[in-house]
Amino acid sequence: MATVSEVTTLPAELKSTIDLGHENEKKEAFLEANDSDSVAAGQIDASGCINNLIVPVYTEEEYKKLKRKVDKYLLPLMWLCYGIQQTDKTSIGTQATFGLREDTGLVGQEYAWLTTVFYITYMCFEFPSNIILQRYMMGRTLSIYMICWGVVVLCIGFAKNFTQLITLRALQGMFECCISPGFILVVGSWYTTREHASRALVFQSANAGFGVISSLVLYGIGTIEFRNPELQAWRYMSYFLGILTILVGCLCLFLLGTPSEVRWLSPEEKKMANARILSNNTGHDRTGVKKWRWKQAGECLQDPCFWFAGLNAFLSSVPNGGLTTFGSIINTTFGFTSLQVILLDIPRSVFSVLYFVLIGLVTSRKKNLRMWFMMFSTVPPFCGFLMMALLPNEAQYKWVKWGGYFMTVPFVISLFLAWTLIPSNTAGRTKRTLTSSFTFVGYCVGNMTGSQIFRSVDAPRYISGTTACAVCFGLQFLLILCWRVLYVVRNRRRDRKLQEEGVSEEERILRGKTMGEQDCTDFENPYFRYTL
């Protein structure tokens, strides 16, 4: 492993520009960088942002070797964790078809409230959890959260009535709220902007990939009722998932974290990992920073993209909440048995994984395609929900309606790729924390709404719920289009201004890195460029 091979210094012109009128901020940045509470203090000398930016430069081969090591350790672990979390969250739909409602005496909308309360606590604890992730060691915090929700999932298997179920689901939402924003922050701390989408899609593909594994396991557990009718299969599903979650959470204590936290990197590799992400213009991975910047918080409210992110999450999550809660039930109304419904989810999951792989490969090789994929991914589910809403539940339409259900697979891309835009397009730690929190508030409110628009009185066709989901996808298409246009306009305006000033691309990149290290937002950093 090579040591520092080159030193890049800050141009005098930029130094004078940044120094002007920022003496207090520079002192704060210096103290913050040398705070003993900062996990990464000393990995990259932040004081260099005050006088000279001292950045170690490594060879491309060294970076590639490091990236391969990171991929080997991090991606399989995150894939497993995310897959387990999605299965834990959505398994209640499968459990409902195996007697959960009858065995616990649920009536009316009580079953729907089990999903709604999950997202209520998910939303309420979203912002506090994001603050905790920023202030303490991210890997250890995520691991503890995972172990806690594993215990809750295990306890669901012992629930006897609605009160016990809704209490446990509320606790489950509280502990699971950190996993998605936490993993997005982890990706942002390890990978360059170009790599954000492909790496995030790897762990997000577990939404379907792990679904294939879990469907086969839950199918096997579901067959125990045929061998012994007195056994309640849904309880054993909770036992299995709860124990698995606890074991994986313990594993994460040793392997998961940001570059400065993990034990499987050498000190030199940690410096290299931090140096590698400076090109993102969003600073390095330092956690444990207690400082809150109110100016960045105010900037969020003035940024239309902040509101676009939350509204996009809401529109995508309304159908997600409906499918999570009622997807399996809806499929039984087409004419399939409970066990057939589990098996029919496997081809959906396989196609979803292939779709994720395709998009991951394309976005890693071609720039500025994320939002085009987001828009396209709303069209098939729009048509699929209309098919489910308009066709009657007759035997001759059983497979056609299931085809409509199958067409809903791509919709998650419009949500997941939007999450990857947070570390790519939002600079400034406070602004990024608020944007992430607000996005997941929209996610929670959408899921709560989706679980309630499928009313028991509308069974078996649930026409109002499926129609509302189709409308959401139509609106989402228009929103993403406007969102992309705004980013394009901002990039062109900044390029034109720098061209007039005679700033070269190499100089723009250097200045962007410097201001990113100073915790400047994308508004404050004129050298920042948005990813499309």
Side-chain angles (χ1 to χ4, degrees), residues 491-520:
N491 282 344
R492 289 180 178 175
R493 185 182 300 154
R494 294 184 179 195
D495 288 338
R496 186 167 56 251
K497 184 175 180 181
L498 292 184
Q499 188 176 11
E500 293 172 354
E501 296 174 356
V503 178
S504 66
E505 180 65 14
E506 293 76 12
E507 193 173 3
R508 181 193 72 78
I509 294 173
L510 174 60
R511 294 183 182 187
K513 290 179 181 179
T514 304
M515 297 192 74
E517 272 297 281
Q518 289 189 308
D519 197 32
C520 294

Side-chain angles (χ1 to χ4, degrees), residues 88-89 91 95 148-158 168 172 176 237-243 245:
D88 288 346
K89 178 175 66 177
S91 62
Q95 291 172 308
C148 290
W149 95 60
V151 173
V152 173
V153 172
L154 179 63
C155 291
I156 287 177
F158 298 97
L168 290 170
Q172 189 179 350
E176 287 193 29
M237 294 176 183
S238 281
Y239 302 154
F240 166 75
L241 294 173
I243 293 172
T245 304

Side-chain angles (χ1 to χ4, degrees), residues 84-203:
I84 290 174
Q85 186 260 351
Q86 287 295 314
T87 303
D88 288 346
K89 178 175 66 177
T90 61
S91 62
I92 192 168
T94 301
Q95 291 172 308
T97 64
F98 282 89
L100 177 144
R101 291 174 296 176
E102 294 77 12
D103 294 338
T104 55
L106 302 184
V107 295
Q109 287 294 102
E110 287 183 343
Y111 169 70
W113 272 102
L114 296 182
T115 295
T116 303
V117 74
F118 175 94
Y119 286 107
I120 289 176
T121 54
Y122 194 115
M123 177 181 65
C124 291
F125 287 91
E126 182 64 44
F127 182 70
S129 294
N130 269 280
I131 297 296
I132 292 172
L133 289 175
Q134 293 283 355
R135 293 195 172 192
Y136 301 98
M137 297 183 71
M138 193 179 299
R140 187 171 300 173
T141 303
L142 286 170
S143 302
I144 293 172
Y145 269 75
M146 189 169 186
I147 293 171
C148 290
W149 95 60
V151 173
V152 173
V153 172
L154 179 63
C155 291
I156 287 177
F158 298 97
K160 303 293 185 181
N161 52 50
F162 173 69
T163 302
Q164 295 174 0
L165 277 175
I166 199 169
T167 301
L168 290 170
R169 285 289 285 180
L171 290 172
Q172 189 179 350
M174 181 179 74
F175 290 124
E176 287 193 29
C177 69
C178 70
I179 187 75
S180 292
F183 277 10
I184 292 298
L185 291 173
V186 169
V187 167
S189 70
W190 283 98
Y191 295 102
T192 62
T193 299
R194 176 74 73 87
E195 298 161 350
H196 285 170
S198 60
R199 269 37 181 208
L201 287 176
V202 168
F203 77 77

Side-chain angles (χ1 to χ4, degrees), residues 248-321:
V248 174
C250 293
L251 178 64
C252 289
L253 284 171
F254 301 96
L255 298 177
L256 187 62
T258 63
S260 303
E261 300 171 14
V262 297
R263 304 173 185 177
W264 40 269
L265 286 184
S266 68
E268 190 66 28
E269 287 174 327
K270 291 182 179 183
K271 292 179 183 178
M272 191 190 308
N274 279 315
R276 184 172 178 269
I277 63 169
L278 287 177
S279 62
N280 296 346
N281 296 346
T282 56
H284 51 74
D285 81 318
R286 186 168 65 248
T287 56
V289 177
K290 306 291 193 293
K291 187 173 181 60
W292 181 264
R293 300 186 184 277
W294 288 104
K295 182 180 178 181
Q296 293 187 12
E299 186 177 301
C300 283
L301 302 179
Q302 303 170 26
D303 189 352
C305 296
F306 173 81
W307 302 103
F308 282 157
L311 186 55
N312 176 75
F314 170 79
L315 292 174
S316 183
S317 299
V318 170
N320 184 64

